[in-house]
Amino acid sequence: MRAVVHDRYGPPEVLRVAEIERPELKEDEVLVRVHASTVTRGDAMGVRHVEYKLIRVFTGIRRPRRTSAGTEFAGRVEDVGPAVSEFRVGDDVFGIKVGSNAEYVTVRESSAIAPKPTGLTFEEAAAVPDGSLLALTCLRPARPLQGKRVLVYGAAGSIGTAAVQLLAHHFEAELTAVCDTKDVELVRSLGARHALDRFREDFTQNGETYDVIFDAVGKHSFRRCRRSLKPGGVYITADLGFMYHVPLVALVTRFAGGRRARLGIGRYRKEDLLLIKELVDAGKYRPVIDRRYALDEVVEATRYVETGRKTGNVVLRVSEAAPASKPDCAAKHRQEVPA
Ligand SMILES: NC(=O)c1ccc[n+]([C@@H]2O[C@H](COP(=O)([O-])OP(=O)(O)OC[C@H]3O[C@@H](n4cnc5c(N)ncnc54)[C@H](OP(=O)(O)O)[C@@H]3O)[C@@H](O)[C@H]2O)c1
């Protein structure tokens, strides 16, 4: 099968599409023919591992131990192991699997895989799992959020657009979103009650205070956000921060009392993916897609993701001839962003 691989760390150019063995199916797994995948920020960072060199202790010091690429997929079940009860051959599914930039993946039935939302195409469905599950699991420890004043910084990225929709339609918070000028209308359309252009207004200087500030891109800091938090408020960031300082600040503020910092730790769970599917089916969540590339254009796609300027998600078309098994009534969910 064709798959994206990289044998060494480096710039996006180390990625290539190669012919590799199709994964073998275990008894509790499904074999999925992948029709679409994405390049996430995590995927792009994993190719270089420059920013977080210490992580190479886990991923391979000199060379990556795992040579495959990709995190999320949408496709069709092509085979099932004998112990699988939930899926059948021909089912359309989406989910999380390391190595998803490939024509086939095998996925354990109990892991983050679920029926594809019927209203989404494969390309749209592939852009859902990673950002939504990370946003959900970063925000959940701050519950209850209903009616709380929450600000999302970096609201137009993959995690940001997911956080905005989950806060507005699932957690039912009173939401302010901060993003670039070009994305203000988008974040409003996703459910933000207030949208601030980060180039025109500095939210830390306008006197407003929040119960929760979610830094969805890890570009702000607890120190600068502190005065914009209500007493007892919490700053959650998706990133470890400069020199991995966030866990230390989180520890100190936990015991100091008052306003707190917290590192959002994303998790991929099946039950959460099923919740996201329900939200999509109910029209409360939609994928935001910035650009689409063919599998062979993975280097260009990764270069774009590396700029840190994408809006929502960047999709990889893995199988050009993805058949539409179900009626494509995705138009009402579709949010295309001009490149
Ligand atoms: N905690 C976890 O478990 C976990 C897991 C995976 C990834 N992450 C981290 O999550 C972060 C976000 O990931 P993502 O996929 O959502 O990123 P992304 O989609 O690449 O984010 C792009 C967005 O970030 C905005 N942005 C860039 N620089 C900014 C700045 N200085 N201030 C404000 N906004 C800025 C961009 O807006 P402009 O167009 O205005 O620049 C763009 O809308 C990454 O740092 C990643 O390392 C965390």
Side-chain angles (χ1 to χ4, degrees):
M1 68 168 185
R2 300 175 79 236
V4 176
V5 296
H6 66 116
D7 314 311
R8 56 194 172 93
Y9 295 115
E13 289 70 22
V14 301
L15 291 164
R16 65 195 161 84
V17 177
E19 204 53 54
I20 63 167
E21 288 288 308
R22 198 195 277 196
E24 269 185 34
L25 187 64
K26 297 198 182 83
E27 63 172 20
D28 59 345
E29 290 181 338
V30 299
L31 175 72
V32 179
R33 172 88 200 262
V34 177
H35 290 308
S37 185
T38 64
V39 178
T40 67
R41 182 122 173 89
D43 295 333
M45 286 163 68
V47 176
R48 283 191 193 263
H49 268 320
V50 163
E51 210 172 329
Y52 297 120
K53 272 204 170 129
L54 264 184
I55 289 175
R56 288 195 189 182
V57 172
F58 305 104
T59 61
I61 304 277
R62 290 167 62 89
R63 288 174 179 278
R65 263 183 228 123
R66 174 172 72 77
T67 55
S68 57
T71 303
E72 54 191 342
F73 67 88
R76 181 162 295 166
V77 174
E78 203 153 289
D79 200 357
V80 297
V84 169
S85 57
E86 197 187 318
F87 298 102
R88 291 199 206 143
V89 171
D91 285 353
D92 291 344
V93 292
F94 74 141
I96 296 282
K97 174 75 189 198
V98 167
S100 289
N101 293 171
E103 284 179 325
Y104 291 91
V105 287
T106 49
V107 190
R108 203 178 300 145
E109 181 182 34
S110 59
S111 69
I113 177 170
K116 179 174 79 65
T118 46
L120 299 187
T121 63
F122 288 113
E123 290 177 20
E124 290 164 338
V128 171
D130 182 65
S132 62
L133 294 180
L134 293 177
L136 184 69
T137 49
C138 284
L139 288 166
R140 195 180 263 150
R143 283 181 305 177
L145 287 163
Q146 191 173 27
K148 294 273 176 69
R149 298 201 71 200
V150 180
L151 180 138
V152 177
Y153 184 76
S158 171
I159 298 176
T161 52
V164 166
Q165 298 184 76
L166 292 172
L167 284 161
H169 308 304
H170 174 61
F171 292 115
E172 298 177 347
E174 193 209 304
L175 180 62
T176 299
V178 182
C179 60
D180 189 353
T181 320
K182 69 182 189 318
D183 296 316
V184 165
E185 281 316 309
L186 168 71
V187 299
R188 273 208 190 102
S189 75
L190 296 176
R193 188 180 294 183
H194 314 284
L196 303 183
D197 178 342
R198 74 179 168 102
F199 295 113
R200 297 215 174 130
E201 184 170 352
D202 180 352
F203 76 88
T204 65
Q205 302 297 320
N206 66 7
E208 298 287 338
T209 53
Y210 302 91
D211 297 290
V212 176
I213 294 176
F214 179 43
D215 183 355
V217 278
K219 299 287 185 193
H220 226 289
S221 72
F222 174 65
R223 187 175 56 78
R224 282 181 289 149
C225 289
R226 208 174 165 282
R227 283 192 309 164
S228 304
L229 284 171
K230 290 184 179 179
V234 57
Y235 165 81
I236 305 172
T237 175
D239 200 88
L240 285 161
F242 180 64
M243 301 282 283
Y244 308 93
H245 75 279
V246 171
L248 184 63
V249 177
L251 194 68
V252 171
T253 57
R254 181 175 178 182
F255 292 109
R259 298 167 177 89
R260 284 183 57 183
R262 185 181 270 168
L263 175 65
I265 297 175
R267 293 208 170 84
Y268 302 125
R269 292 200 197 98
K270 186 184 191 75
E271 59 268 34
D272 290 335
L273 188 62
L274 288 165
L275 167 68
I276 299 294
K277 173 187 154 39
E278 266 177 40
L279 293 173
V280 175
D281 287 339
K284 294 181 174 179
Y285 189 97
R286 68 186 196 221
V288 176
I289 297 175
D290 183 337
R291 295 188 184 180
R292 302 169 194 234
Y293 293 85
L295 189 67
D296 289 308
E297 297 172 317
V298 66
V299 171
E300 288 90 323
T302 308
R303 269 196 216 122
Y304 181 56
V305 172
E306 267 204 339
T307 63
R309 305 298 310 271
K310 72 179 163 67
T311 300
N313 302 278
V314 167
V315 166
L316 276 188
R317 289 188 300 261
V318 178
S319 156
E320 293 289 345
S325 62
K326 307 238 167 69
D328 178 6
C329 49
K332 69 177 174 6
H333 294 280
R334 212 167 265 147
Q335 179 64 56
E336 201 76 26
V337 180

